[in-house]
Amino acid sequence: PTPAMRLAMSEAIVGDDVFGDDPSVKELELATARMFEKQAAVLCPTGTMANLIAIMAHCDSRGSEIIVGNLNHLVVYEQGGSATVAGVHTRIIPTQTLPGSETPIGGVSLEDIEAAVRSDDQHFPVTRLVCLENTHNLCGGAPLPTEYVDAVGGLCRQRGIKLHVDGARVFNAATALNVPVGRLCRSADSVSVCLSKGLASPVGSLLVGSEDFIRRARRHRKVLGGGMRQSGVLAVCGLLSLTAMSKRLHDDHLNARRLAIGLSQIPHIEINPDLVRTNIVYFRLPMGNAHKAVQVMAKKGVLMGAKDDHTIRACTHYMCPVEAMDYAVKVVRDTMASLYME
């Protein structure tokens, strides 16, 4: 959290959010709903819980199915909660990973969505929901354009199904596309919004949607253990995330681009800086040893993550000034030289 957040936490006016009387939480939820042009919002401890609650609220009858891309966070990093907890079947279709297609990187094609919608047959589950991720983590933080989200939303309405957007980094998408988050998410029935990551809050995500949807979401939050008491100490951080931190994300994007360009000049690294549009930078080590590389770099104060033995991820945020990008490039260069000495 930022220094301003730490101060706000110490001075937060709190109540009991389970009973709906924490004024700071109520202020945050109202502000978020207005910003996203939705009727209501609910504060959740994590983005994983917010996504699971959305699935449970949209798919509230047995035999329901969601359509989701194979690289979506929902199916890769959320422990299969849609099936194990919600009892909802997942129909997985390909995520677009390369440029040059009508479908943006990180999206799923309209044709694949249409083909995946089940017909009214007793042998099949019932399609209830399509899930998108914006920005898309495993596709290098690619933002999904407004026109694409609108097109998916239009298709969903035609077929009588709902659209949920995992917007863990949706403010990064809005910044990259130069469009308000409310407009970007207008066609979505629900959106999960992470307050940490680039927005710097220590904890918390919000789920936004219609009043009836959020009423049902609150019930699901309770059974999942997400009802928090004096959570106003977290909500005040979230308010600063929305009002202040969301306005400086362009700096993170510039820094990520600077980092990517520097990495592209280092031997034994593969990266296309032109694909870096937000705050996530993936680069490949064709010769492997990514896990060892991140351990070496961590000892020099550069923290990155190894996705696998050939892929490393770096994220920029408010605690990474521009000069830190140049230092990180130097550390990576030195690390590559030590790992692959000829």
Side-chain angles (χ1 to χ4, degrees):
T2 66
M5 289 179 181
R6 293 176 184 272
L7 177 61
M9 292 174 75
S10 69
E11 300 176 346
I13 301 173
V14 300
D16 190 323
D17 183 46
V18 172
F19 291 112
D21 65 6
D22 188 306
S24 297
V25 173
K26 292 168 72 173
E27 182 182 359
L28 172 63
E29 291 174 343
L30 179 60
T32 306
R34 287 175 173 171
M35 186 174 288
F36 280 81
E37 301 180 5
K38 306 300 181 187
Q39 293 178 345
V42 60
L43 176 64
C44 304
T46 70
T48 294
M49 183 182 287
N51 285 334
L52 180 57
I53 289 171
I55 292 172
M56 294 172 70
H58 286 303
C59 305
D60 54 1
S61 59
R62 295 188 66 81
S64 295
E65 181 175 75
I66 63 174
I67 298 172
V68 61
N70 67 308
L71 297 181
N72 192 294
H73 198 277
L74 278 166
V75 297
V76 179
Y77 292 122
E78 297 183 14
Q79 208 179 100
S82 57
T84 58
V85 179
V88 174
H89 190 259
T90 301
R91 191 161 203 194
I92 298 175
I93 58 179
T95 299
Q96 181 66 34
T97 60
L98 299 174
S101 169
E102 291 184 1
T103 303
I105 294 176
V108 288
S109 76
L110 296 178
E111 293 77 14
D112 285 344
I113 295 174
E114 181 72 49
V117 176
R118 302 285 189 173
S119 60
D120 185 9
D121 188 308
Q122 64 179 344
H123 296 87
F124 301 149
V126 178
T127 305
R128 301 283 187 192
L129 182 67
V130 172
C131 298
L132 300 177
E133 181 182 345
N134 199 12
T135 64
H136 199 291
N137 175 16
L138 287 180
C139 290
L144 299 180
T146 308
E147 296 78 10
Y148 170 76
V149 179
D150 284 348
V152 175
L155 174 58
C156 289
R157 286 190 295 275
Q158 291 174 11
R159 300 305 302 267
I161 55 183
K162 301 296 185 179
L163 172 61
H164 172 68
V165 173
D166 174 358
R169 299 178 180 85
V170 71
F171 281 96
N172 290 96
T175 298
L177 299 168
N178 193 29
V179 61
V181 288
R183 176 63 192 92
L184 179 58
C185 300
R186 186 174 295 167
S187 294
D189 296 284
S190 60
V191 186
S192 59
V193 188
C194 186
L195 297 172
S196 58
K197 301 183 172 67
L199 298 186
S201 281
V203 178
S205 287
L206 288 124
L207 182 62
V208 300
S210 69
E211 288 184 359
D212 181 64
F213 170 81
I214 294 301
R215 178 187 59 79
R216 289 180 279 123
R218 288 187 186 279
R219 291 186 60 85
H220 295 309
R221 183 186 70 165
K222 181 63 176 174
V223 78
L224 294 175
M228 298 179 286
R229 298 295 182 176
Q230 285 71 47
S231 46
V233 294
L234 302 176
V236 292
C237 296
L239 285 165
L240 288 170
S241 289
L242 296 183
T243 59
M245 303 308 289
S246 65
K247 294 178 172 57
R248 56 152 309 280
L249 294 177
H250 183 64
D251 293 341
D252 294 343
H253 298 179
L254 291 176
N255 285 342
R257 172 80 173 173
R258 184 183 184 96
L259 175 63
I261 292 173
L263 294 173
S264 70
Q265 300 169 6
I266 300 175
H268 309 298
I269 284 180
E270 292 181 351
I271 183 173
N272 182 355
D274 291 337
L275 297 181
V276 176
R277 298 184 60 192
T278 57
N279 69 321
I280 297 177
V281 179
Y282 279 98
F283 58 99
R284 281 186 48 79
L285 309 184
M287 297 172 62
N289 227 358
H291 291 94
K292 176 64 175 178
V294 297
Q295 292 174 4
V296 172
M297 290 187 288
K299 294 178 180 178
K300 299 179 181 179
V302 175
L303 304 180
M304 299 184 182
K307 174 179 172 290
D308 52 50
D309 201 46
H310 292 272
T311 311
I312 293 177
R313 187 186 80 156
C315 294
T316 55
H317 51 84
Y318 93 98
M319 294 183 71
C320 298
V322 63
E323 55 268 23
M325 301 303 104
D326 299 333
Y327 176 71
V329 169
K330 179 182 183 303
V331 169
V332 174
R333 185 186 302 277
D334 293 345
T335 302
M336 295 300 105
S338 66
L339 287 178
Y340 306 124
M341 287 189 303
E342 299 178 354

